[in-house]
Amino acid sequence: MKFFVDTANVEDIKKANDMGVICGVTTNPSLIAKEGRDFVEVIKEITSIVDGPISGEVKATTVDAETMIAEGREIAKIHPNMIVKIPMTVEGLKATKVLKSEGIKTNVTLVFTANQALLAARAGATYVSPFLGRLDDISQNGTDLIRQIADMFAVAGIETEIIAASVRNPIHVTDCALAGADIATVPYSVIEQMTKHPLTDQGIVKFQEDYRKVFGE
């Protein structure tokens, strides 16, 4: 399973990229709004840091296919690595089909059922993004959805990649990997949490103490 970082914060993207563990970035209207910066400016800066797929979403207020297509074309022009994020709606599927025919890669987002993922794949989505954490929030098992989609795609020979989104903690990451997700897109804070374990910290302290006893500082 590969890792994307889910943020529009350039400093967090730099830190994750420096660790050598991410190969792409996902953003959404809420993450862009949180930064309080121009969309194109943020995306261009991100593409200068990470050499991999960068998801940029159509405007949150765009609900018709025609406008999604127009915005998708503009997003695709920003950089060759751009992926157009499209909401999982009837109009979104229409837009996905057209963008696919033009060679523009798409990431259909806000997926909460296996049927939605299947429709998005058949419409031509490059990626589908099931939202694991938001399902957990309403007492549904998000990991089960990832597994169901992975099994369905394997049976049907579908090449659309599964991005596990709305990942909230390291346990989600492990579960998604075991369930068959191709990619997990995670906040930088979760990546940091994944590096930590009390026994690792204790081991480092013990090694340092033993070293100082023999060699000093």
Side-chain angles (χ1 to χ4, degrees):
M1 186 177 71
K2 297 174 286 188
F3 288 98
F4 291 173
V5 64
D6 190 34
T7 184
N9 183 285
V10 171
E11 292 308 311
D12 281 351
I13 292 169
K14 287 178 180 176
K15 287 186 286 187
N17 189 60
D18 286 346
M19 288 171 65
V21 296
I22 64 165
C23 59
V25 178
T26 55
T27 67
N28 62 45
S30 296
L31 292 173
I32 294 286
K34 185 178 177 181
E35 295 306 306
R37 297 175 58 194
D38 176 72
F39 171 80
V40 175
E41 177 186 296
V42 172
I43 294 296
K44 283 184 175 178
E45 190 167 358
I46 292 171
T47 60
S48 72
I49 300 166
V50 178
D51 184 18
I54 313 293
S55 287
E57 192 160 348
V58 297
K59 292 177 183 175
T61 51
T62 300
V63 295
D64 63 289
E66 185 177 354
T67 309
M68 288 182 196
I69 293 164
E71 291 179 9
R73 288 168 178 156
E74 291 305 309
I75 290 170
K77 288 178 184 177
I78 297 173
H79 192 275
N81 289 348
M82 292 306 300
I83 311 296
V84 180
K85 277 181 91 171
I86 302 284
M88 176 57 224
T89 63
V90 170
E91 294 298 297
L93 293 177
K94 293 178 184 177
T96 299
K97 175 188 175 183
V98 172
L99 292 172
K100 163 72 173 179
S101 72
E102 296 178 3
I104 295 172
K105 295 181 179 180
T106 56
N107 174 4
V108 174
T109 188
L110 293 170
V111 168
F112 292 97
T113 71
N115 282 338
Q116 287 179 325
L118 181 59
L119 289 171
R122 290 311 187 195
T126 313
Y127 305 95
V128 291
S129 290
F131 275 45
L132 170 79
R134 294 195 193 184
L135 282 173
D136 285 358
D137 289 344
I138 60 168
S139 300
Q140 292 186 19
N141 193 315
T143 305
D144 285 348
L145 174 61
I146 303 291
R147 185 174 294 106
Q148 195 174 34
I149 296 170
D151 290 347
M152 182 183 291
F153 283 11
V155 168
I158 292 172
E159 295 183 358
T160 299
E161 293 192 77
I162 303 165
I163 302 178
S166 187
V167 171
R168 305 280 176 76
N169 54 61
I171 294 173
H172 274 166
V173 175
T174 303
D175 288 346
C176 288
L178 291 170
D182 298 291
I183 300 154
T185 185
V186 297
Y188 178 70
S189 60
V190 173
I191 295 175
E192 274 195 316
Q193 289 174 45
M194 290 171 63
T195 70
K196 299 182 184 300
H197 192 279
L199 292 178
T200 303
D201 295 339
Q202 291 172 25
I204 290 171
V205 170
K206 180 66 166 61
F207 289 163
Q208 289 174 341
E209 289 174 349
D210 290 345
Y211 181 90
R212 290 188 183 106
K213 287 177 184 175
V214 178
F215 302 106
E217 293 294 336

